[in-house]
Amino acid sequence: MDLLKWVKVMDQKMTSVRVEPNLCTHLISPKSTCHSCVEYCPTKSISFTKKQIEIDAHCLECGICSTACPTNALLFNRPPLAQVLSEIVHQCEQNEQVYLHCEKMPVSDKNVVTASVPCLGMIPREAWLSMLNKCQNLTIYHADAGCSSCEVKTGERVWRKELQAGETMAGSSIKITSTITHSAKQKPFDKDRRAFLSSFFNEIKATNRLALKETLGSTEVVSYQEKRQEDKVTKLKRELGEVSNQIYEKMTNESALPYMNKRVHLLAQLQGNDTFQKQEDIRLPLIKPNCDFCGACTILCPTDALKMETESNQHSITLYPAKCVDCSLCEDICFTNSIQLQHVQNRTLLKQEQKLLSQS
């Protein structure tokens, strides 16, 4: 890898929040109703220019914006969500009891096993769902005073909302406690040494993955302006990007697409779980017969969940369910009010594609 690419990799490692403006519904269209990142940012550090999301120096690196953003136009990577979840699951598999806590609410007792995050608000419902299904021995440590004195003022509101949503999907709950209980079987260990080694190896793995992604050239998200272009160069660039993403995903076992950062955890829990598949925890777009096939929804969809095809003068709109993250942009921008997001069975996400409407 040349020096310039290594500089890009290190820049991504040093940045706490990755910004992808081509996924921001607010930047794609002024008709978008989404402003979750601004609403939940505890220091109001997020603002918008015409083409970019700006984060000022007051950012606390809490990760709440990433949880709130449906498309992950803001993606928290210190630490990445997949790394956090992997570490918590590993701790629960290796120990009888594990306490999850915010770094600002530390557990001083070194005789218990803990897992910490910058803020519990950085954990979205999809990750809570995974923990609920895999970590029956996990307890949330939360002091009696709560988050009232914390500078991340919106943190408790966000994590309790996301936890409740995860518990509703899982049909179970995680215990929350303000006291630490020692297990008779708990083995003492050097928590500081273990935390250091875990952090060290996770940093190496994360850097290697960024380097691989930069080498493959799969770091760009196509803008809606580029989607409208039909020249050969644009098509080739898009096809090469798709191939690069596929290679990256096979080599790392994680999605190369930011908007799939949370969705992959939900998809994993759906596999082989018939009860969960029948629940209706998600919303997908329904296109009504009065659609005039203007194509706005398919062009502006930030995740390419909607695509329109024309063959023999017949138009059709196809939905790729797994890519739809309920950002509401298609519903917001439809001039004829022909699109409505409706609750459907979770199993629909497992379908490769679904025909929504056709017209001769």
Side-chain angles (χ1 to χ4, degrees), residues 2 32 51 86 101 103 126 155 163 178 197 216 218 295 317 333 336:
D2 60 42
S32 171
K51 296 183 179 180
S86 176
H101 65 94
E103 291 176 355
E126 295 87 350
L163 173 60
S178 59
L197 291 174
L216 291 172
S218 56
I317 294 180
I333 57 95
T336 56

Side-chain angles (χ1 to χ4, degrees), residues 111-142:
N111 293 315
V112 296
V113 181
T114 63
S116 65
V117 290
C119 174
L120 292 175
M122 70 159 288
I123 304 176
R125 61 193 64 189
E126 295 87 350
W128 284 119
L129 173 64
S130 293
M131 286 186 274
L132 282 156
N133 288 334
K134 296 179 179 180
C135 306
Q136 281 71 39
N137 55 338
L138 181 68
T139 299
I140 297 172
Y141 172 72
H142 195 245

